[in-house]
Amino acid sequence: MQILISAGEASGEMYGAQLMESLRRAAELRSAGQPGAAVPTQPAGLDGRVARPHTSIEFFGAGGERMRAAGCEIIVDAKDLAVVGITEILSHLPKIFRLYQKLIRAADEKRPAIAVVIDSPAFNWRVARQMKKRGIPVVYYVAPQFWAWRQGRVKLLRKYVNKALVIFPFEEKFYRDRGVDATFVGHPLADLPAPAISREAYASENRIDAAKPWITLMPGSRRKEVRMNLLTILEAADRLGSGYEFLLPVARTLDSSFLTELIAALAATRQAASLQGVHLVPEALPALFHSRAGVVASGTATVEAAIMGTPFVMVYRVSPLTYALGKPRVRVPYFAMVNLIAEEEVVPELVQHKFTAENIVTELSKIIPDGEPQARMIERLAAVKARLRGTGSGAHPSETAAEIILKMIG
């Protein structure tokens, strides 16, 4: 059985890898005749045992290293789809269209039983449209945030998607009220355990001074995004000085050399000696968990910080034209997902012209020291994490999603 999975960025392909593992486990349980699993009756063999059907699932689609490691045949690399902003996407349209055609040709060859598209609506709604035309059921896992802007595009989900699996609690009602078959399954990151590695071991492994307080810097997972965000974040790091260690996790959609060059360029032009304390690290969660605070670009990373219980400042910037075109369409009171879930400002938002090194330092100075502001933010982040847990069934969101998908396949 072939399943198409299309994920266009770092967070999406992480969810895709989780879902693949859950689909395999759920299919194995069904074929083994576990309680609740629908298993066709088979005639007994010569040894008197009933033969069980063998379930084999193969995956192909768009994704990155996590999905490849989980056994997905990568037709389109997620790195090539990691584009942000209205004007930025326009310049990449020819390349994205070629990749889209390549994926559709693969689908025509393999004829998947179902297509699962994850986030990245600019690319994936077109994939969904082509699959629906071919009579292939479509599931949208991590549905697009059309509630934030361009709400008229909900009609695309009604037309081309059989089922929307949403990961934020308020999304289910929003989509159902607009005629979309949506189910809240919980956020795939909500049950992430605290990293097992100790602070001392992590410091030794990454050559970080454990005696200093740490601050995690997360400028985004796409090149354009990083170019827009990182330099201001590094300027703030320079202002904070050499009394801190700065941890910069390398997103899987980026190359460490790209980040190293940006850091070196700023250090050279500004003579920023404190930037010698910026350390590139491979994973975000241990960095966040062991840090005193964070500076985090809007997106999935803000949810990761909340789940790790790390106080942080949210930042974001796009090109002036993208901002001018996009801002009038925004239909929500906050930019940070954490604030939307909490329905109040839990973390400060420094967006566009408010996103300055001086403002970052001002906001960090409130949450780095022990005290009421820090304690209040940690308490509210814990409440956000609780809201993300889902239905309370005990199943991981990817397991709930896998069961729904297998029922749709039959």
Side-chain angles (χ1 to χ4, degrees), residues 10 66 202 206 208 215-222 226 230 233-234 245-256 258-260 263 278-289 291 293-297 301 304-305:
R66 279 191 172 103
Y202 189 74
N206 293 283
I208 303 168
I215 298 176
T216 292
L217 312 177
M218 301 187 70
S221 62
R222 294 168 281 196
V226 173
L230 182 58
I233 293 174
L234 292 178
E245 292 279 63
F246 302 99
L247 283 55
L248 204 170
V250 181
R252 291 175 181 262
T253 48
L254 298 172
D255 298 316
S256 58
F258 168 69
L259 295 171
T260 301
I263 296 169
V278 177
H279 303 270
L280 300 187
V281 294
E283 296 292 340
L285 296 181
L288 286 166
F289 183 71
S291 285
V295 182
V296 184
E304 292 177 331

Side-chain angles (χ1 to χ4, degrees), residues 328-389:
R329 304 182 182 209
V330 174
R331 297 289 184 267
V332 291
Y334 304 108
F335 287 93
M337 186 57 67
V338 167
N339 293 341
L340 287 169
I341 296 166
E343 300 179 278
E344 63 174 330
E345 186 172 286
V346 173
V347 301
E349 300 183 350
L350 303 180
V351 178
Q352 213 64 10
H353 65 279
K354 292 183 180 179
F355 177 17
T356 65
E358 181 180 3
N359 285 344
I360 292 173
V361 173
T362 298
E363 295 297 340
L364 284 176
S365 68
K366 300 174 186 177
I367 58 175
I368 289 175
D370 291 332
E372 196 272 336
Q374 183 200 64
R376 185 173 66 250
M377 185 179 290
I378 291 174
E379 181 182 353
R380 290 176 177 177
L381 291 176
V384 168
K385 180 178 178 178
R387 289 193 179 193
L388 291 172
R389 288 189 183 279

Side-chain angles (χ1 to χ4, degrees), residues 288-308:
L288 286 166
F289 183 71
H290 292 300
S291 285
R292 190 72 175 171
V295 182
V296 184
S298 178
T300 302
T302 64
V303 177
E304 292 177 331
I307 289 167
M308 291 296 105

